[in-house]
Amino acid sequence: RMSATLYLLSALGGYVLTSALLLKCPGLLHRPKRQRFRCRHISHRGGAGENLENTMAAFQHAVDIGTDMLELDCHLTKDEQVVVSHDENLKRSTGVDVNISDLKYSELPPYLSRLDVTFQKESHSEGKDNRIPLLKEVFEAFPQTPVNIDIKVNNNVLIKKVSELVRQYKREHLTVWGNVSYEVVSKCLKENGDIPIIFCSQRVLLLLGLFYTGLLPFIPFKEEFLEIPMPSIILKLKEPQKMTKSQKFIIWLADTLLMRKTLFDHLTARGIQVYIWVLNENEEYKRAFDLGATGVMTDYPTKLKEFLQNYAA
């Protein structure tokens, strides 16, 4: 009985040591993923705090100031055009209560000239370019800029059309795509295995489970990008005085579990980039980069650029 206990303890000790070693030195077991680009400065919806979100003016401004990547969202019109828009229903962004999928591209209403910034409380942006663009226009205008595509709806035709556009413009090496949904990401991978994918929310939970049980270093991954929120920013977006203690506790717990330097460093060593969204304050940028994040998504590309010029990694 005693020897069995000793055997179990030594086996457990061996497992813990091996796991700790491989967590620090994953190259012993995994060949790092070949990174086609590395991005520190990512413009969320093109920089929704400085221009109207997801417009050509926003994308042009972000590229002009030197962003490493444009983040955008895609939907499909009734005549099967891939358009760049965050919402399927256009009430918030255009004032017209209609779905993109019910209209032809030529029938889409223009954006309102003033829109709230989703991830910055009591902030808005204004702009004159209020046209909903096509994805192919973005590809044509910025042939060298990496683009991070959120496939907003589980639609086989949308996934196929985006893949065809990426192939047509030879952008497999400059594109990342995915969604929070496991099903959508699986379809993306099946449709075009040459375009790197992100961890969906289900796989993020798996990743955390593996990390906290010590199994992470032993498991291979198809994903090349971990794109996660910084949970603590929810406190900034909602009014903390109106939140219950349990809500605040859940946010604190999620933040504590997710924002781990050891986890980020391990993934980075395996060639998996870690992007944190959507951060709009200097102290948030600093926290993300101090934790070892590869890049940050922001609504304020000018602000992030200024921060990075002064930030010593």
Side-chain angles (χ1 to χ4, degrees), residues 48-49 115-125 280 299-300:
L115 291 176
D116 287 338
V117 182
T118 311
F119 289 93
Q120 191 72 357
K121 209 166 145 197
E122 291 169 2
S123 295
H124 63 271
S125 63
N280 291 327
D299 290 315
Y300 296 90

Side-chain angles (χ1 to χ4, degrees), residues 26-308:
L28 296 171
L29 194 59
H30 306 278
R31 180 187 294 168
K33 292 182 183 295
R34 182 171 60 92
Q35 294 185 340
R36 296 172 260 202
F37 51 82
R38 273 176 72 84
C39 300
R40 296 183 88 198
H41 185 298
I42 304 150
S43 298
H44 179 248
R45 303 184 197 172
E50 294 178 12
N51 283 277
L52 295 181
E53 63 181 59
N54 280 322
T55 57
M56 290 305 287
F59 300 137
Q60 187 64 61
H61 169 69
V63 169
D64 286 346
I65 69 154
T67 194
D68 297 322
M69 173 183 268
L70 298 171
E71 188 273 347
L72 50 78
D73 313 275
C74 282
H75 286 278
L76 200 64
T77 60
K78 193 177 178 180
D79 54 347
E80 296 193 344
Q81 298 287 311
V82 180
V83 296
V84 179
S85 165
H86 181 271
D87 304 353
E88 158 69 342
N89 182 283
L90 295 173
K91 180 101 172 75
R92 173 188 71 90
S93 56
T94 70
V96 184
D97 188 4
V98 65
N99 290 336
I100 289 175
S101 53
D102 293 332
L103 297 178
K104 291 179 182 170
Y105 180 62
S106 59
E107 298 167 339
L108 292 178
Y111 284 128
L112 297 167
S113 57
R114 176 182 162 127
L115 291 176
D116 287 338
V117 182
T118 311
F119 289 93
Q120 191 72 357
K121 209 166 145 197
E122 291 169 2
S123 295
H124 63 271
S125 63
E126 297 179 16
K128 291 188 172 61
D129 176 15
N130 55 5
R131 188 177 61 84
I132 296 175
L134 292 162
L135 179 62
K136 73 172 197 177
E137 290 179 76
V138 179
F139 286 176
E140 278 168 10
F142 313 108
Q144 305 304 321
T145 306
V147 173
N148 193 309
I149 300 173
D150 192 346
I151 303 286
K152 274 297 172 190
V153 282
N154 185 357
N155 178 318
N156 297 352
V157 182
L158 174 61
I159 292 166
K160 192 173 190 320
K161 292 272 182 186
V162 170
S163 171
E164 283 170 1
L165 284 168
V166 170
R167 279 211 175 99
Q168 185 188 334
Y169 289 94
K170 298 183 170 54
R171 290 187 54 97
E172 285 92 346
H173 65 297
L174 286 173
T175 308
V176 186
W177 64 345
N179 181 269
V180 293
S181 149
Y182 177 77
E183 198 180 342
V184 171
V185 176
S186 302
K187 285 180 180 179
C188 287
L189 191 61
K190 199 172 163 193
E191 182 64 44
N192 191 336
D194 294 329
I195 309 173
I197 53 168
I198 64 170
F199 282 86
C200 65
S201 49
Q202 194 178 329
R203 297 273 292 171
V204 171
L205 291 174
L206 172 69
L207 188 73
L208 285 179
L210 294 170
F211 175 62
Y212 284 104
T213 52
L215 286 166
L216 178 62
F218 304 99
I219 308 295
F221 292 103
K222 292 189 179 81
E223 295 91 345
E224 293 183 38
F225 294 84
L226 175 66
E227 301 182 1
I228 50 173
M230 183 181 281
S232 62
I233 67 164
I234 298 166
L235 294 168
K236 178 190 78 173
L237 299 174
K238 301 204 182 322
E239 287 162 27
Q241 63 273 22
K242 288 185 181 171
M243 296 175 82
T244 63
K245 271 193 176 142
S246 59
Q247 283 173 325
K248 285 182 187 170
F249 174 75
I250 288 164
I251 292 165
W252 171 83
L253 185 64
D255 198 86
T256 305
L257 292 174
L258 207 49
M259 297 289 110
R260 307 300 298 192
K261 184 165 173 48
T262 318
L263 172 63
F264 297 172
D265 287 347
H266 174 79
L267 293 174
T268 308
R270 286 173 65 169
I272 296 169
Q273 297 190 48
V274 179
Y275 297 161
I276 312 288
W277 53 266
V278 170
L279 310 183
N280 291 327
E281 307 289 353
N282 283 343
E283 60 268 23
E284 296 163 4
Y285 301 155
K286 183 173 175 354
R287 183 180 179 217
F289 287 116
D290 285 351
L291 282 167
T294 320
V296 158
M297 285 187 197
T298 187
D299 290 315
Y300 296 90
T302 308
K303 196 171 178 178
L304 178 56
K305 182 188 180 179
E306 285 165 1
F307 170 83
L308 285 170

